[in-house]
């Protein structure tokens, strides 16, 4: 039997949720009244709003939340007058009622933290509502006669009586995880069925080995055949049941995308009014059903993007008139499903992003930035803002950084572009659910990691000659062009697995912010649907991983964050020691690579190790000379411009040494004048290669030639 205090606690929990929902409903109704052009439509909406406020007032009175009850009472007083006298709400009263809705929402937040709002909660709003009622009575010359309240017209919410019930989000999450586990067990049963079939084949081969055991072997073979058949039947039944359960649970968790956009029209309205602008919000694809976990996490990002559009993008009415645009700006949110991903686009028809101002804010010179897309992506960096001043609306450069991190937490990506007709557009690409992932399993060292297949383009093979440099970037040449790469094992700090000599290296090409990216791995282990679990609060800031998942054999695999991989590649932080093929395994010559750039050292090291060389590195000429004297080397590859001792000086020192006077030296440098090349050769270099014309195949041929 339920105790009275438990009953009261359940009622309070229900009321807490209702207060938040009703506050949102009231706000949406008020904004709809403001936008309605027909008098009849305004009156219809006001009657509907009156019923909503009346229902909330009754619930607040039942739970004795007097502050909310008082706010609703005086809202009801104002609305009753407008409904009874067939008057439309004017802007001052609309603004006042919106303030009342905010006070109710504040009460909902207090209730969610376990605190009951005081009877004086919203007292200032209540006083303003009372004053508005008094002013209305003065204007009318007396208190109006109202129709008697028609309580029968106040509807009970259909959700309470139509057979539906409230289920906590945590319970739905648990149900989805369980259904996902059932789906993953499907692969395990399939494997057992295959093993039973294999054992049956082995038993059949034993039949002729020993005639005395032929009868027992036949019996074992028959039993294994029946076991395999039974496993397959059970597997089909389990797969059918698990798939149906998974579908039903997913449907129960979905909500229309429009739910994520609730309150955004209020944001646009208030921000436009505060900045002297005119703006409207348009939503397309609001009826698309998406996972509740995605929807609830998306709301904050949409709010930031809409604020950014009004604060930075939409111009004042005067500016828009001069530009030949309508005085009222537009912010459009569009949602669409593409495969197993959802795309949300937030675009405005304003001035767009000022590249020169963005370049200044990002600390770059515009003329030095060749890739406009790369510059635009800087808006997501913390502290970067295109606003000259800091206001209560913008200028601190933190909003878009929050958006990027929120979307990455959802295993998605955020990108920005200029709209050709004017304005800026932010595109958020998100999975349809966070609970299960169709994952590609990859091996790095002795560990299994996973990549969301929605991000995977293809799997390719990389050879030593495919590595190259493009400007100052380390890239790998593929059939579709040069793309950046990241060696997974070394990026994650695990010991790489070594392939056999002569084998090419496996790479997974993924779609990432900024373009495709090659992820170098040891091997591909397979692909399957897996249950994704959050990493928890302790690992929340580890951006390399998005989730953890249990493999059917009990091992744990971490889901890689593609956005973090893209950042590593963009910064040319290609880890050393990638496993590339060794076409010359016998030529175990030792090469000393000297360059003050970590990234160039890494690239050259990758190429040389792939060709079968042992490689040591140094960051300047002085360090290189010390290593050479201590541990020796068969060849030296050096940059020219280095601190402590440059490449020319290092080459001269090597030539003056009796021990290393014949050691080949190859200079790889950014200097491209004839005088520098002559100086390098006169210093004793065997070859002089330019970085801007660097080619892996030509470099390896040069190395073999100078040896």
């Amino acid at each position: 039997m339920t105790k009275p205090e438990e009953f009261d606690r359940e009622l309070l929990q229900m009321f807490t949720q209702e207060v938040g929902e009703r506050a949102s409903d009231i706000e949406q109704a008020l904004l709809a009244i403001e936008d309605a052009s027909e008098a009849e439509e305004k009156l219809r909406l006001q009657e509907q709003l009156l019923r909503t406020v009346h229902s909330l007032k009754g619930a607040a009175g039942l739970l004795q939340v007097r502050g909310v009850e008082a706010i609703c009472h005086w809202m009801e007083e104002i609305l009753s007058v407008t409904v009874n006298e067939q008057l439309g709400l004017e802007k001052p009263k609309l603004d006042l009622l919106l303030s009342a809705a905010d006070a109710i929402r504040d009460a909902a937040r207090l209730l969610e933290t376990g605190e009951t709002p005081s009877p004086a909660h919203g007292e200032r709003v209540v006083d303003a509502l009372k004053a508005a009622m008094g002013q209305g009575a003065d204007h009318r010359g007396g208190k109006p006669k109202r129709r008697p309240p028609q309580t029968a017209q106040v509807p009970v919410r259909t959700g309470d009586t139509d057979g539906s019930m409230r289920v906590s989000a945590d319970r739905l999450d648990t149900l989805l995880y369980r259904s996902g586990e059932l789906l993953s067990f499907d692969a395990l049963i399939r494997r057992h069925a295959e093993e039973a079939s294999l054992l049956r084949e082995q038993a059949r081969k034993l039949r002729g080995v020993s005639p005395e055991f032929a009868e027992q072997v036949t019996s074992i073979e028959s039993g294994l055949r029946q076991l395999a058949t039974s496993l397959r039947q059970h597997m089909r039944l389990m797969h059918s049941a698990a798939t149906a359960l998974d579908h039903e649970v997913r449907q129960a968790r979905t909500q229309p995308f429009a739910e994520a956009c609730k309150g955004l029209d209020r944001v646009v309205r208030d921000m436009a009014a505060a900045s002297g602008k005119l703006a409207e919000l348009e939503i397309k694809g609001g009826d698309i059903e998406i996972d509740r976990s995605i929807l609830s996490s998306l709301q904050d990002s949409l709010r930031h993007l809409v604020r950014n559009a009004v604060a930075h993008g939409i111009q004042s009415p005067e500016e828009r008139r001069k530009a030949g645009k309508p005085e009222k700006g537009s912010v459009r949110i569009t949602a669409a499903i593409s495969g197993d991903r959802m795309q949300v686009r937030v675009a405005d028809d304003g001035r767009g992003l000022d590249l020169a101002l963005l370049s200044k804010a990002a600390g770059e010179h515009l003329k030095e930035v060749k890739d406009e897309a790369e510059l635009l992506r800087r808006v997501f960096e913390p502290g970067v803002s295109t606003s000259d001043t800091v206001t209560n609306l913008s200028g601190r450069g933190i909003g878009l950084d929050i958006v990027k991190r929120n979307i990455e937490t959802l295993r998605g990506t955020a990108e920005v572009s200029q709209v050709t007709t004017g304005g800026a557009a932010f595109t958020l690409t998100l999975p349809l659910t966070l609970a299960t992932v169709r994952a590609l399993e990859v091996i790095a060292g002795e560990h299994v990691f996973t990549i969301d297949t929605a991000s995977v383009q293809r799997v390719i093979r990389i050879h030593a000659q495919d590595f190259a440099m493009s400007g100052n970037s380390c890239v790998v040449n593929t059939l579709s062009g040069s793309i950046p790469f990241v060696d997974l094992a070394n990026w994650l700090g695990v010991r790489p697995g070594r392939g056999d000599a002569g084998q090419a290296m496996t790479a997974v090409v993924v779609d990432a912010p900024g373009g495709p990216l090659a992820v170098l791995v040891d091997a591909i282990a397979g692909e399957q649907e897996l249950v994704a679990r959050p990493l928890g609060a302790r690992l929340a800031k580890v951006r390399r991983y998005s989730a953890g998942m249990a493999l059917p054999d009990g091992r744990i695999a971490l889901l890689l964050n593609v956005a973090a991989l893209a950042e590593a590649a963009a910064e040319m932080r290609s880890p050393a020691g990638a496993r590339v093929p060794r076409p010359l395994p016998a030529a175990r010559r030792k090469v000393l690579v000297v360059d003050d750039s970590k990234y160039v050292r890494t690239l050259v090291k990758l190429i040389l190790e792939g060709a079968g060389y042992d490689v040591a590195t140094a960051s300047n000429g002085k360090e290189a000379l010390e290593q050479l004297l201590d541990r020796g080397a068969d060849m030296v590859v050096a940059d020219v411009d280095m601190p402590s001792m440059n490449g020319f000086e290092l080459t001269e020192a090597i030539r003056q040494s009796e021990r290393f006077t014949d050691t080949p030296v190859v200079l790889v440098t950014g200097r491209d004048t004839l005088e520098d090349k002559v100086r390098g050769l006169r210093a004793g270099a065997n070859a002089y290669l330019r970085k801007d014309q660097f080619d892996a195949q030509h470099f390896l041929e040069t190395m073999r030639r100078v040896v």
Side-chain angles (χ1 to χ4, degrees), residues 221-234:
E221 182 186 352
S222 176
L224 287 171
R225 183 173 58 250
Q226 292 176 7
L227 175 61
T229 301
S230 177
L231 280 173
R232 289 194 185 93
Q233 290 175 346
H234 293 161

Side-chain angles (χ1 to χ4, degrees), residues 296-485:
S296 60
S297 302
L298 188 59
Q299 289 175 320
D300 188 50
S301 296
L302 291 177
R303 192 175 299 111
H304 279 295
L305 291 176
V306 166
R307 287 174 59 90
N308 185 76
V310 178
H312 294 291
I314 302 298
Q315 310 101 315
S316 65
E318 295 78 15
E319 289 180 271
R320 293 182 65 84
R321 278 199 303 270
K322 291 178 182 178
K325 297 180 179 180
E327 288 189 357
K328 181 178 283 189
S330 173
V331 180
R332 176 178 294 183
I333 301 177
T334 307
I337 301 295
S338 177
D340 56 356
R341 292 252 149 177
M342 179 181 70
Q343 280 198 340
V344 179
R345 189 172 188 265
V346 182
D348 64 76
D349 66 346
R351 62 172 60 91
L353 291 166
D354 187 326
L355 295 182
L357 195 58
L358 178 59
S359 177
K360 180 182 177 182
E364 299 283 349
H365 296 296
L366 187 59
K367 62 182 181 181
E368 296 177 1
V369 179
K370 298 178 181 178
D371 188 354
E372 180 180 307
E374 175 61 29
L375 179 59
L376 287 173
R377 283 193 290 273
R378 297 293 182 91
V379 299
F380 292 113
E381 294 180 2
V384 174
S385 174
T386 56
S387 178
D388 288 328
T389 58
V390 176
T391 69
N392 62 337
L393 298 180
S394 62
R396 303 185 186 276
I398 57 176
L400 294 180
D401 172 49
I402 293 173
V403 170
K404 181 172 180 287
R405 294 190 177 276
N406 284 350
I407 297 305
E408 286 183 5
T409 302
L410 298 175
R411 302 201 304 269
T413 59
E415 297 183 79
V416 60
S417 61
Q418 298 276 45
V419 178
T420 54
T421 56
F426 291 84
T427 303
L428 313 178
T429 304
L430 301 156
L432 295 179
T433 179
L434 295 180
T436 57
V437 179
R438 187 71 186 173
L440 182 70
E441 299 170 24
V442 299
I443 306 295
E446 299 177 353
H447 305 275
V448 180
F449 299 92
T450 57
I451 302 174
D452 190 339
T453 56
S455 302
V456 176
Q457 280 189 5
R458 61 191 186 281
V459 176
I460 60 175
R461 305 289 283 174
I462 303 295
H463 299 82
Q465 60 268 27
D466 294 328
F467 293 97
M469 288 193 67
S470 176
N472 292 323
S473 301
C474 307
V475 298
V476 61
N477 294 321
T478 69
L479 293 176
S480 57
S482 298
I483 59 175
F485 68 91

